[in-house]
Amino acid sequence: MFFQNRQHAGKMLVQELKKYLSDKQNLLILALPRGGVPVGFEIARALKVPMDVIVCRKIGAPNNPEFAIGAISEAGGLFLNKQIIDACGISQKYIDDAIAAEQEKIRAYQKEFRSGEALASLKNKVAIITDDGAATGMTMKAAIDAVRKFKPAKIIIALPVAPPDTAQELRQLSDKAIILNAPLEFYAVGQFYEDFAQVETEEVKILLNLANQPKLPHAPEHKSIK
C-alpha cells in the first residue's frame, strides 16, 4: 500500500478509525511533530475533534542519525535498544550527549508548538496517537509512555505503515492499534509515499491552529505552505 502524501494517509486512517469510534466525546488527536501533524490534521478534521502534539525525539546512531537506538519523551520517558547499543559498541558518553541534545530540541518544540505550555490533561480521554509511519517504533513507544502518565481512558495508535515486528510491539503496548500497512520489505517510512517532503515548522503551527478552530476548514495542500 502506497500513499500519495501524508494527507492521503490521514484520510485512509480516518476510514478505519470510524469503524472503532462510536463516541467522539473526550477524544483527542496527538500527533508526533513534525511528520505526524499533517496526518493528524486529517483525522482531527474528519472527526471534528481537537489536536495537540506529543513531543518525542529519537536518539540516532553515530554516523546514521536516522537509525534510532532509542527515544525520549517530553514526559521524561527514556527507551534505549541495549542490544543494538552493545552490538555496535556505542559509548555511554555518546548516549548522554545525544540525550542532552534531544532534550534541548524537545524544549524548543514545546515552545514553538505549544508556547511552552504543558501537554493538555488527558485523564479519562481517548488519545489517538499518530505519525506518518514507524520504523523501529522507538518514538511511538516513548509517546505511549508519555501519554500513559496522564491516565487516559484508552490509547489508540493510528499509523499508515510500520514493519511487522514494530507493528506487533505497538499493538501490545496500546489499547488498539490501527496500522494500515505492515510490509515485510521495509527499509524506510518514505518508501511508501510518493511525496514525502519535509514538513516545515510553519506548516505544523498552521495546522495546529486550524485544527483547534471551532469549524475545521479543508487542509491546505502540503506544498502550498511555505
Side-chain angles (χ1 to χ4, degrees):
M1 181 184 293
F2 287 85
F3 308 100
Q4 297 170 9
N5 51 32
R6 293 177 178 88
Q7 287 86 351
H8 177 223
K11 290 173 183 176
M12 294 188 71
L13 281 167
V14 167
Q15 301 309 311
E16 292 301 311
L17 284 165
K18 283 182 176 179
K19 298 176 183 178
Y20 301 100
L21 297 175
S22 57
D23 185 1
K24 297 174 189 174
Q25 290 185 343
N26 290 325
L27 185 64
L28 178 66
I29 310 301
L30 293 171
L32 275 74
R34 291 179 288 194
V37 174
V39 178
F41 179 83
E42 292 298 333
I43 299 172
R45 181 181 71 162
L47 299 181
K48 296 181 173 59
V49 297
M51 178 175 74
D52 200 349
V53 291
I54 175 74
V55 186
C56 302
R57 295 288 303 177
K58 67 183 171 186
I59 300 167
N63 303 317
N64 188 4
E66 292 304 310
F67 181 74
I69 61 171
I72 57 174
S73 76
E74 62 177 301
L78 172 64
F79 289 82
L80 295 173
N81 190 324
K82 294 186 180 299
Q83 185 176 358
I84 291 177
I85 290 169
D86 292 342
C88 297
I90 299 172
S91 71
Q92 187 61 47
K93 183 180 185 308
Y94 172 85
I95 294 171
D96 291 343
D97 289 346
I99 289 172
E102 295 306 329
Q103 287 174 330
E104 194 65 32
K105 291 177 183 177
I106 284 176
R107 287 190 286 270
Y109 270 17
Q110 289 174 318
K111 183 177 180 180
E112 192 81 55
F113 302 140
R114 245 196 261 121
S115 300
E117 296 181 4
L119 187 65
S121 174
L122 297 169
K123 189 172 183 179
N124 299 326
K125 291 185 179 179
V126 175
I128 297 179
I129 308 175
T130 191
D131 201 354
D132 52 18
T136 64
M138 283 290 183
T139 52
M140 187 58 73
K141 292 174 190 176
I144 294 170
D145 175 76
V147 172
R148 284 277 183 218
K149 295 179 187 300
F150 290 88
K151 303 185 185 305
K154 184 183 292 186
I155 294 177
I156 299 174
I157 300 302
L159 285 174
V161 63
D165 55 345
T166 298
Q168 182 58 30
E169 285 185 283
L170 295 177
R171 290 187 181 102
Q172 293 172 350
L173 291 172
S174 60
D175 298 297
K176 178 71 180 178
I178 295 173
I179 301 171
L180 299 179
N181 192 16
L184 290 173
E185 293 189 13
F186 185 104
Y187 304 104
V189 171
Q191 80 184 83
F192 300 96
Y193 285 84
E194 294 178 18
D195 175 8
F196 199 63
Q198 179 172 302
V199 178
E200 302 297 339
T201 295
E202 189 60 27
E203 178 173 357
V204 172
K205 292 164 73 174
I206 290 172
L207 292 180
L208 283 170
N209 182 57
L210 292 176
N212 294 300
Q213 290 180 0
K215 292 185 179 180
L216 294 175
H218 290 291
E221 288 299 321
H222 176 71
K223 292 183 179 179
S224 69
I225 301 175
K226 303 298 182 182

